[in-house]
């Protein structure tokens, strides 16, 4: 079968930085995907979902990008066992619409539901429940992978192929479908506790002491606060609400899922809209208007898990220059390193209004999976901030010295010399890739930039 129709297009990640042009191929069946891989061309190819990786992981300058959203069928749902089998292009949003009426929820969701199942596995996404549930791949029972030789292989937990693919950023092959174990829920509402922490130490102490009581836990951090209020935070923690917590009206349709949506953000916004002054004002208002302590509040799923999804194309708020999302983890016992990094960010006056602190649980098996036991902080800053590259290089070195790592699904500028220190199983990943893909069919801008996977003769 010939490959499907193609077109050339300039792509970026969700951060809208580092654009590159590639030939886009959108297969609509497994046979078309096989044909597309066999016809990828001399610059290789990389699969792409809904484009929510922040950096250049799903780009391939001068080569091919396979748009996997054409493989978007839910193949089966076992409503008794709570297992869904679906193609890789199905979004978590679609799964929620299909599964919630049946009393099931996705086991892990990041800050957006507009990611595909293939992307969730390839980036091994994590959510507010990592301390109890781990990353997405921990709930994958098996997956179908199209490898460089054009063969479709089944990969199961415990195999090297599965371990390399989960978190492997699409560099082992094209995920075609997966079987995923789901989480039982009785309502589509959340019971939420909110409280303020006076500084970073207070926030960490509360998270450390109380996270075991909650399935979901996260802290928004004010990275512009300094002095005695350094790292002040608003903690939001909760679990799926039981039917008895709902109002009589809500009990009529306890599993309703109707996320609200605002009009899209304007395509063009004034340059410099987000600066240290506007963000400092926003952060101060957010902190001061948050309750000192409130328990048992009922919230709908979408505002709790995906507040930014309510504003389509919210990434435009940063202007044409885009933004950099930076996320790292440092091990438990390295709290001083985290404090020094937060102090450095505050002193640098980085205008970040989306800064999130969480605790990770046990490490996930993927050789390039990001989560590891420790503290993870994610922040975003306008890409045009003067001196940003050198400043983030400095943070990278602090993170690596503390035994931590940065998240490849959000990266667009890490120095390659730090990669092996951050990901000690990188040699195993490269060795398996060399065996599976000796011609270097699967590659990306990220892979070339970091030297993850060299293409022979290039």
């Amino acid at each position: 079968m010939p490959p499907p129709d193609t077109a050339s297009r300039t792509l970026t990640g969700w951060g809208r930085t580092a654009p590159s042009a590639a030939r886009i191929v959108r297969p609509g069946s497994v046979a078309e995907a096989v044909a597309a891989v066999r016809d990828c061309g001399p610059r290789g190819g990389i699969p792409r979902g809904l484009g929510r990786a922040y950096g250049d992981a799903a780009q391939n300058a001068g080569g091919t990008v396979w748009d996997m959203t054409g493989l978007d069928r839910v193949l089966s749902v076992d409503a008794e066992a709570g297992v869904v089998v679906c193609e890789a292009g199905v979004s978590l949003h679609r799964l929620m619409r299909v599964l919630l009426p049946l009393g099931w929820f996705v086991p892990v969701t990041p800050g957006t539901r507009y990611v595909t199942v293939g992307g969730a596995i390839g980036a091994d996404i994590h959510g507010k429940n990592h301390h109890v549930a781990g990353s997405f791949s921990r709930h994958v029972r098996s997956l179908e992978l199209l490898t460089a030789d054009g063969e479709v292989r089944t990969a199961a937990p415990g195999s090297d192929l599965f371990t390399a693919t989960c978190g492997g950023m699409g560099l082992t092959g094209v995920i075609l479908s997966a079987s995923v174990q789901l989480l039982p829920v009785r309502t589509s509402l959340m019971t939420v506790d909110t409280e303020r922490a006076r500084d970073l130490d207070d926030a960490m102490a509360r998270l450390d002491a109380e996270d075991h009581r909650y399935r979901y836990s996260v802290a928004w951090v004010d990275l512009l606060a300094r002095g005695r209020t350094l790292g002040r935070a608003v903690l939001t923690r909760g679990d799926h609400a039981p039917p008895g917590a709902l109002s009589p009206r809500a009990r009529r349709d306890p599993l309703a899922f109707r996320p609200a949506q605002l009009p899209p953000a304007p395509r063009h916004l004034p340059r410099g809209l987000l600066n240290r002054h506007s963000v400092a004002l926003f952060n101060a208002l957010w902190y001061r208007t948050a309750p000192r302590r409130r328990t048992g509040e009922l919230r709908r799923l979408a505002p709790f898990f995906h507040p930014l999804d309510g504003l389509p194309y919210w990434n435009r708020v940063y202007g044409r220059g885009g933004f950099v999302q930076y996320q790292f983890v440092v091990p438990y016992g390295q709290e001083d390193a985290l404090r020094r990094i937060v102090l450095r960010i505050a002193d640098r006056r980085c205008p970040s209004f989306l800064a999130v602190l969480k605790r990770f649980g046990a490490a996930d098996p993927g050789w390039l999976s990001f989560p590891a036991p420790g503290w993870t902080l994610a922040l975003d800053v306008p890409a045009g901030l003067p001196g940003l590259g050198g400043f983030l290089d400095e943070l990278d070195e602090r993170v690596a010295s503390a035994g931590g790592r940065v998240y490849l699904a959000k990266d667009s500028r890490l120095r390659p010399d730090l990669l092996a220190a951050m990901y000690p199983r990188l040699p195993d990943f490269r060795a398996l890739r060399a065996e599976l893909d000796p011609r270097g069919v699967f590659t990306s801008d990220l892979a070339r930039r970091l030297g993850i996977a060299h293409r022979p003769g290039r």
Side-chain angles (χ1 to χ4, degrees), residues 20 22 37 40-48 56-66 148 168-174 429 433 437 439-456 458:
S20 65
V37 167
C40 68
R43 289 282 286 179
I46 193 72
R48 181 182 176 98
D56 55 2
Q59 298 169 219
N60 184 23
T64 301
V65 170
W66 300 296
M169 307 310 295
L171 296 172
T172 61
V174 178
F429 182 84
R433 251 194 57 90
D437 186 10
R439 296 183 297 115
V441 169
F442 297 106
T443 189
S444 66
D445 289 356
L446 177 140
R448 280 190 292 269
R449 174 170 56 82
L450 293 179
I452 295 176
H454 295 290
R455 287 174 58 74
R458 291 175 170 79

Side-chain angles (χ1 to χ4, degrees), residues 323-392:
F323 69 101
V324 173
Q325 172 111 163
Y326 183 73
Q327 183 169 8
F328 65 89
V329 58
V330 293
Y332 294 124
Q334 290 292 332
E335 286 76 13
D336 282 344
L338 177 61
R339 290 186 195 96
R340 289 192 294 270
I341 290 172
V342 170
L343 177 61
R344 187 71 183 91
I345 294 169
D347 286 343
R348 180 66 171 72
R349 310 304 288 156
C350 286
S352 176
F353 76 97
L354 291 175
V356 173
L357 177 70
K358 292 182 291 195
R359 293 175 68 253
F360 277 159
D364 296 294
W367 289 338
L368 296 187
S369 290
F370 167 66
W375 298 95
T376 179
L377 179 67
L379 60 142
D380 59 349
V381 290
L385 194 69
L388 180 62
F391 177 67
L392 292 181

Side-chain angles (χ1 to χ4, degrees), residues 40 42 72 160 193 198 216 235 275 283 303 383 423 433 440 449:
C40 68
D72 62 351
D160 284 352
D193 294 350
R198 63 181 178 273
Y216 303 100
L235 279 59
N275 55 59
N283 287 0
Y423 289 89
R433 251 194 57 90
R449 174 170 56 82

Side-chain angles (χ1 to χ4, degrees), residues 17-28:
T17 61
S20 65
R23 183 178 67 130
I24 312 300
V25 180
R26 188 173 186 266

Side-chain angles (χ1 to χ4, degrees), residues 271-291:
R271 184 182 296 273
L273 181 65
L274 294 181
N275 55 59
R276 65 185 61 176
H277 304 294
S278 62
V279 172
L281 177 61
F282 171 87
N283 287 0
L285 288 172
W286 187 266
Y287 181 80
R288 290 169 185 165
T289 57

